[in-house]
Amino acid sequence: MNTLFEQAKPVLETIKQHGHDAYFVGGAVRDYLMEREIHDVDITTSATPDEIEAIFPKTVPIGKEHGTINVVMEDGQYEVTTFRAEGDYDDHRRPNEVYFVRDLYEDVKRRDFTMNAIAMDSDYQLHDYFHGQRDIEQCVIKTVGPATERFEEDALRILRGLRFQAQLGFSIAPETYEAMTQLIDQLAYLSVERIVVELQKLIAGKHVAESYQYMLTLNAFHYMPFFEHFNMDALTVDRPVAFNDFIALLFVQQSPLAALSELKISNKDKQYINRLAEVINQLPEISKKSTLRRFVYDYGKDLILHALGLSDVMEKNNIVTPSPLIINTQSIGETSAQLPISKRQDLAVTGKDLLDHTERKGGPWVKDALYQLENAVINNQVHNSKDLLLEWMDKHVEIQ
């Protein structure tokens, strides 16, 4: 038995006491059968959202129009979704209509893969209409019903299938793969946000080497925003990497042929990708201790060490790696520990101090002078004190 299922059992039992059916469903059941770690559970029920709200004293209508209510219990919150059936799909992304039904079979038959269409009751009895448990035992990814129908309904299921392969190491059933090859061009209908969510999981999957090769064989990237601008066949991915690292390596290998804004990722992620790409590009150019100190100061020990951890991927993609005699874990750690300051805010003078000291107007010279002062402190040419820094500037900084 699993602790999360046991904690959630009172929700199922309460729903059943009010005359409705309720089951665990989806990824939690799949992972339970595979003896994988379970992080959360989903509950499906014949009760309508209004009925769920009437049963439980505290609920949150997080997706009531789609049948989902958050039930708040003392030990946590549980998403409870009414059995649903779907109308036709016209845009290969979402159904024209979602309506509530009372029959479990009608709900699970709309799901993507057999391994995700297994329901389980509070007594751990399975309701497996499409032989999902058998497919799990045989390590096969197979759609619920005809694969062409499932992929025509929502092309994202093609990527989800490849993502599950990357995570689980399962094979893809021949008829499911054949449908992927026939309908891969329908990825063009998907929003980049939905694509990125799946790619983040796929690229980081334990079995990504095989799945990534399938992506290339299917020419999947050709139908995706951003990636369509790159020669993805030139990039080798044969071990798990973080998605942002994957993009940074792509930028280094082929230069930024498309703007990161196309990926619709956060500004924090964009900044990380750009900085990591800069680090990877600059690593082979570091040849002196003084440039190493400035490099570590500018980018920080953690990011540089992370980049070094990608050396094997860089080598396989013909990206120049640094000399291990100069750049290695020990040299980066020692250099970081020896830095007198770690950021400009640690400098004992500010731009205002320079203006007051020189009685000059502001301009580009201030930024240049601060940069030179940083270098002087980093390379132990002057102690980081206000008076000494201003004195050093008078002697060594030429103000234009």
Side-chain angles (χ1 to χ4, degrees), residues 133-189:
Q133 186 177 20
R134 179 197 64 193
D135 291 338
I136 289 173
E137 292 170 352
Q138 296 180 357
C139 300
V140 174
I141 297 170
K142 183 183 296 185
T143 57
V144 175
T148 52
E149 291 183 15
R150 296 292 81 77
F151 295 151
E152 283 177 341
E153 289 169 350
D154 186 355
L156 189 72
R157 289 167 174 166
I158 297 174
L159 280 185
R160 280 174 59 81
L162 295 169
R163 184 256 287 184
F164 284 127
Q165 181 193 52
Q167 292 177 318
L168 304 176
F170 285 11
S171 62
I172 300 176
E175 63 274 18
T176 299
Y177 182 74
E178 178 60 27
M180 288 179 173
T181 64
Q182 294 174 13
L183 300 171
I184 195 68
D185 61 335
Q186 295 186 13
L187 295 181
Y189 291 101

Side-chain angles (χ1 to χ4, degrees), residues 241-299:
V241 293
F243 179 76
N244 288 345
D245 296 348
F246 169 66
I247 301 299
L249 291 166
L250 186 60
F251 272 17
V252 172
Q253 185 196 59
Q254 301 183 32
S255 77
L257 300 176
L260 285 174
S261 57
E262 285 193 48
L263 286 176
K264 305 289 179 67
I265 56 179
S266 69
N267 288 332
K268 182 179 179 181
D269 286 340
K270 293 175 190 174
Q271 183 183 45
Y272 172 87
I273 290 168
N274 285 325
R275 283 180 63 80
L276 179 59
E278 289 171 5
V279 167
I280 294 172
N281 276 320
Q282 292 181 34
L283 276 171
E285 301 173 4
I286 307 301
S287 58
K288 298 185 297 184
K289 285 187 176 180
S290 60
T291 54
L292 177 59
R293 282 192 289 268
R294 182 74 209 198
F295 183 62
V296 174
Y297 173 79
D298 283 341
Y299 291 102

